[in-house]
Amino acid sequence: MIERPYGGCGKCLLGVRRLSRVKLATSSPEQQRENVLAAAGAVGAHIIGWADDWEVSGATDPVTRPRLGPWLRDEKGPYDGLVAAAVDRLGRNVVDCLNTGYKMRDEKRMLVTYGHDGPWELDDPADENRFTMEAWGAQMQLRAIQRRNRDATVKIRAAGRPKGKPSYGFQYVRKVMGGKVDHVEPHPHAAEVLREVARRILADPEKVTASSEAARLNRAGEASPADHLATMYGKPAGGRPWSPPSLKNILLSEATPGYLMHQHKPVLGKDGNPVRLCEGLWDRATHEALKKAILSRRAPWGAQLEP
């Protein structure tokens, strides 16, 4: 039996799987599973659990990954090592891969990947060099992906189309499921949440603040931007609360008047003016009044002391 609980045999391994993006058409999760099981079986080991980091970038430090991180930080109980479908499932950064590999070596734990004959022996120069080269290859592949994404972003921005996640209060509309974004429009519910917050602040800026509104939304059980986005894309909400800085940034953002944004700034068109994606959550006059109400209010501890 290749999967069973920890037994202290010295070959109780944690299966490691990761994907940057999970799509319905992909078979990668199952393929990774088969490769992990084959690699574990080849060294006479068994799987005690799975650290499955789906929708996690390869650029993420393994120690901070949601599923693998707690094991590497020794927060999940005993295990005798890691087994992955490939070195690039451990990480796509040479330093991260080597840190994980040396941690296994220094703690006398096994490190196994599919396609490598036996456990990695990083004290052996040949094995260390091969492991480093595979990690280097993973890093170069990541760099190529990042470069393609940057080039695609530039092209899409130049065409006046959005890329990435919609700002809170808006939603992407596609004519074909999974196709390119046809247009952007205010989200029926989230847009009204922000409009109500804006109305309340403008009605009484001395007493109603981003902090008090964040607290009100949390008391009301209103989904935070992160949870709202997860729900929109069919993912489970994590129960993350509204935070005052996040709400403040959303209210002050030039995305709320409906502009195309990049790196927190409006994208300028060929005419030098901001590119507008759709109708905003409020008009320019309201936005300026809201900015004044939020930015002019000073926290009590920010007042200057008399000499």
Side-chain angles (χ1 to χ4, degrees), residues 266-275:
V267 174
L268 301 181
K270 294 181 179 179
D271 59 0
N273 295 316
V275 176

Side-chain angles (χ1 to χ4, degrees), residues 14-248:
L14 175 70
V16 178
R17 296 189 294 176
R18 183 195 60 76
L19 274 178
S20 298
R21 187 171 299 173
V22 178
K23 297 182 180 179
L24 294 178
T26 184
S27 61
S28 187
E30 185 57 37
Q31 185 61 58
Q32 286 189 48
R33 177 185 172 82
E34 292 177 5
N35 290 347
V36 166
L37 294 176
V43 297
H46 66 274
I47 307 298
I48 63 166
W50 295 88
D52 292 337
D53 284 307
W54 307 134
E55 302 286 340
V56 176
S57 169
T60 305
D61 186 338
V63 177
T64 65
R65 277 160 52 172
R67 301 298 182 185
L68 178 58
W71 289 93
L72 295 179
R73 299 193 300 268
D74 297 320
E75 298 171 359
K76 297 287 285 185
Y79 68 104
D80 298 324
L82 306 176
V83 53
V87 171
D88 66 8
R89 297 305 93 185
L90 297 173
R92 287 206 167 187
N93 176 290
V94 173
V95 173
D96 290 343
C97 287
L98 288 176
N99 284 343
T100 301
Y102 290 143
K103 176 180 173 63
M104 295 299 103
R105 180 199 64 183
D106 295 344
E107 295 177 357
K108 308 302 181 184
R109 288 173 168 159
M110 296 177 67
L111 180 62
V112 180
T113 60
Y114 181 77
H116 180 265
D117 187 18
W120 288 96
E121 299 291 345
L122 297 187
D123 281 328
D124 177 73
D127 242 16
E128 184 181 42
N129 286 338
R130 178 178 170 182
F131 185 82
T132 302
M133 290 305 297
E134 291 196 20
W136 179 256
Q139 179 170 302
M140 290 301 97
Q141 187 178 28
L142 175 63
R143 296 292 183 269
I145 292 171
Q146 292 172 331
R147 184 171 58 254
R148 289 197 300 271
N149 287 340
R150 285 195 298 269
D151 292 344
T153 297
V154 171
K155 183 177 180 180
I156 290 174
R157 300 292 185 197
R161 302 202 312 271
K163 185 177 186 296
K165 301 172 183 177
S167 300
Y168 181 80
F170 296 89
Q171 63 183 4
Y172 292 160
V173 179
R174 294 176 168 86
K175 291 184 177 180
V176 179
M177 182 178 295
K180 69 178 183 179
V181 176
D182 180 68
H183 65 277
V184 182
E185 64 184 20
H187 186 278
H189 178 71
E192 188 53 37
V193 169
L194 285 184
R195 287 169 177 153
E196 176 62 16
V197 169
R199 284 193 290 264
R200 289 171 59 85
I201 291 177
L202 290 174
D204 191 358
E206 289 299 317
K207 293 182 179 179
V208 182
T209 66
S211 294
S212 67
E213 284 300 284
R216 180 181 67 83
L217 293 173
N218 285 329
R219 289 194 301 270
E222 185 64 52
S224 67
D227 281 0
H228 169 74
L229 186 66
T231 302
M232 281 179 62
Y233 287 91
K235 299 175 184 177
R240 290 155 289 195
W242 284 84
S243 71
S246 174
L247 179 56
K248 179 180 177 180

